[in-house]
Amino acid sequence: MKVTFPRLGSMHIFCKAIAETAGIPYILPPETSRKTLTLGVLHSNECICLPFKIILGNFIEALQMGADTIVMVGSGPPCRLGLYDLVQKVILEDMGLHYRWLTIPPRFSWKALWKNHEETKDLRKELSARNVLFFPYGLWMGWKKMMACEALERLAMKVRPMELKKGETQKRLKKALSLVDEAKTQKTVEEAIQNGKTLLQEMEQDRSRIPFRVAIVGELYTVMDPHINRGVEQKLGELGVEVTRTSWFSTHILRSLRKNKADRASERVRFFEASKAYLGYDVGAECNISIGEAILRAQEGYDGIVHLMPFACMPETTASGILTKVGRDRDIPILTLILDEQEIEGRIQTLLEAFVEMLEWKRKAA
Ligand code: SF4
């Protein structure tokens, strides 16, 4: 058995930690590249959303490297994510690739647990006593590392607009995340967090700068994965913007566990409530959250909102129309970026530069 999983943001560090700690063999898909996207695009319907194509590309690359078991998150309607696993299975079978599939349910229910039980029947026979025994510890280590990665990424968002040498934060963040990834015990994870924080804080900074505050909202994969969003977070930071986002893997895991009242997950409840000023029902995926977050960020005095959405994403297409009105009503600039498989890196850079320039004019005029 060799398990694999999608490669999105720093999520692979979490999955890798579980597999390594529990002693489960795994294949890490290569870092998402043009080749990954090309493979995904080649084997998908052109109208399907971008995350589908990238995840499919990750799976094809991992299966070609020898993986035989795919672990994928599921979802429900109306978002197409609910159909990802069904459609991807058909495509991979048509390609003659052999694999077993394990869906992680989006919500833990008896029905989902039963499905999971059925899917893992064969897999369980291949697990050793050590795998089973260490699995809970693996989950704990994965969680610890994920929280460490998120803390470091948040710190990078804070210091990036102050950096004196462009690109230095990104270089140091990469190093800090690799320290967490390489840690094998609780003690070394703690040390990796400390060393990573020091690495970022000790960077040469111009602390007299007053960065713009911008919230990134939108479809969750597009917000969380720098390959999908072409490094929007980094680009904005390097233009002097302190970025905030509330879409993190931990937020979505807590949501799946129905821990909606806990810390960051409770923010989603606030955003959802705020969205009711414009929407009378739950559109699905992140639509209501994008709208609610934009409203509350405007109230909190943020300078702007960047809304990210994959081309043809139904929930975020709905959100983008409403966000135009939110921007006008609440006097907050909102930039929607529609992402697809085209080479649009230069275009995104230009749009972000123009957006930040507009924030500068607005600040001067205030
Ligand atoms: S939220 Fe949009 S992009 Fe994401 S899976 Fe659903 S339809 Fe596709």
Side-chain angles (χ1 to χ4, degrees):
M1 172 175 55
K2 281 190 181 146
V3 296
T4 193
F5 28 81
R7 185 144 184 166
L8 280 154
S10 50
M11 189 188 84
H12 63 281
I13 297 179
F14 165 71
C15 300
K16 222 179 117 183
I18 299 173
E20 268 176 4
T21 313
I24 299 170
Y26 68 92
I27 299 268
L28 182 65
E31 199 167 337
T32 301
S33 62
R34 248 293 122 190
K35 185 183 165 214
T36 318
L37 184 57
T38 307
L39 279 170
V41 170
L42 187 67
H43 297 284
S44 312
N45 181 305
E46 64 171 332
C47 298
I48 194 80
C49 33
L50 186 61
F52 178 99
K53 295 170 184 167
I54 292 189
I55 294 170
L56 181 67
N58 289 149
F59 289 157
I60 295 172
E61 286 186 303
L63 291 177
Q64 287 171 345
M65 286 166 69
D68 59 15
T69 305
I70 292 173
V71 181
M72 173 65 185
V73 283
S75 178
C79 170
R80 278 182 268 184
L81 180 61
L83 298 172
Y84 273 21
D85 57 346
L86 299 176
V87 183
Q88 285 175 343
K89 278 183 200 170
V90 175
I91 295 172
L92 295 174
E93 272 157 27
D94 283 353
M95 289 178 70
L97 293 167
H98 302 292
Y99 63 89
R100 284 168 304 191
W101 191 281
L102 175 60
T103 310
I104 307 290
R107 289 256 187 271
F108 284 91
S109 61
W110 288 114
K111 197 175 155 208
L113 279 179
W114 179 250
K115 189 176 174 226
N116 192 268
H117 171 82
E118 289 295 301
E119 280 181 339
T120 51
K121 248 185 200 164
D122 288 338
L123 286 178
R124 283 201 303 270
K125 289 180 200 151
E126 292 175 37
L127 293 175
S128 66
R130 183 189 181 276
N131 297 152
V132 177
L133 200 67
F134 278 83
F135 193 73
Y137 181 50
L139 280 177
W140 186 83
M141 273 296 275
W143 181 259
K144 194 115 190 92
K145 285 194 178 190
M146 181 167 46
M147 298 312 283
C149 293
E150 292 182 2
L152 291 168
E153 286 179 57
R154 266 194 215 96
L155 180 58
M157 287 171 170
K158 270 207 147 337
V159 298
R160 194 178 277 121
M162 317 287 191
E163 69 185 11
L164 283 178
K165 194 169 154 208
K166 193 176 167 190
E168 186 61 21
T169 309
Q170 197 58 19
K171 211 172 101 194
R172 288 175 182 242
L173 174 64
K174 218 173 158 191
K175 172 80 187 143
L177 293 178
S178 74
L179 292 177
V180 174
D181 190 18
E182 284 155 21
K184 296 278 179 269
T185 60
Q186 185 188 348
K187 189 168 173 276
T188 50
V189 174
E190 301 288 353
E191 283 168 7
I193 303 171
Q194 277 321 313
N195 293 340
K197 282 186 176 169
T198 310
L199 207 59
L200 287 164
Q201 278 158 344
E202 283 184 350
M203 181 182 66
E204 264 198 299
Q205 295 171 50
D206 176 356
R207 293 178 202 270
S208 65
R209 288 182 194 164
I210 304 170
F212 293 107
R213 289 197 304 154
V214 167
I216 297 185
V217 303
E219 193 270 343
L220 64 99
Y221 284 98
T222 339
V223 171
M224 290 192 292
D225 190 83
H227 296 287
I228 299 184
N229 67 34
R230 306 338 193 249
V232 163
E233 207 170 279
Q234 183 190 345
K235 284 185 168 73
L236 276 169
E238 288 170 3
L239 287 167
V241 174
E242 187 183 318
V243 176
T244 309
R245 66 171 154 109
T246 42
S247 231
W248 298 92
F249 287 112
S250 61
T251 326
H252 297 291
I253 290 177
L254 289 174
R255 186 160 62 104
S256 302
L257 296 171
R258 297 179 196 268
K259 293 224 178 277
N260 286 349
K261 299 268 182 289
D263 303 330
R264 274 158 298 118
S266 68
E267 279 199 313
R268 294 181 62 85
V269 178
R270 284 201 304 124
F271 298 151
F272 190 85
E273 287 303 311
S275 76
K276 288 181 180 167
Y278 292 84
L279 270 172
Y281 61 98
D282 184 359
V283 175
E286 300 296 291
C287 175
N288 296 59
I289 302 298
S290 298
I291 293 162
E293 182 165 1
I295 296 169
L296 293 186
R297 296 302 182 208
Q299 282 173 13
E300 289 164 16
Y302 271 66
D303 298 290
I305 305 288
V306 170
H307 173 227
L308 301 179
M309 58 172 275
F311 177 67
C313 166
M314 184 281 286
E316 294 305 325
T317 304
T318 310
S320 80
I322 299 170
L323 282 172
T324 310
K325 187 158 167 44
V326 172
R328 268 201 307 265
D329 293 353
R330 319 265 157 169
D331 188 29
I332 183 161
I334 300 182
L335 171 70
T336 292
L337 294 176
I338 302 173
L339 300 145
D340 64 10
E341 61 256 31
Q342 308 300 325
E343 286 281 7
I344 48 170
E345 191 123 11
R347 201 177 133 242
I348 288 179
Q349 180 69 32
T350 311
L351 286 168
L352 292 176
E353 281 171 14
F355 184 67
V356 174
E357 220 166 287
M358 186 183 60
L359 299 185
E360 274 162 9
W361 292 343
K362 204 165 175 257
R363 184 181 273 181
K364 277 182 200 150

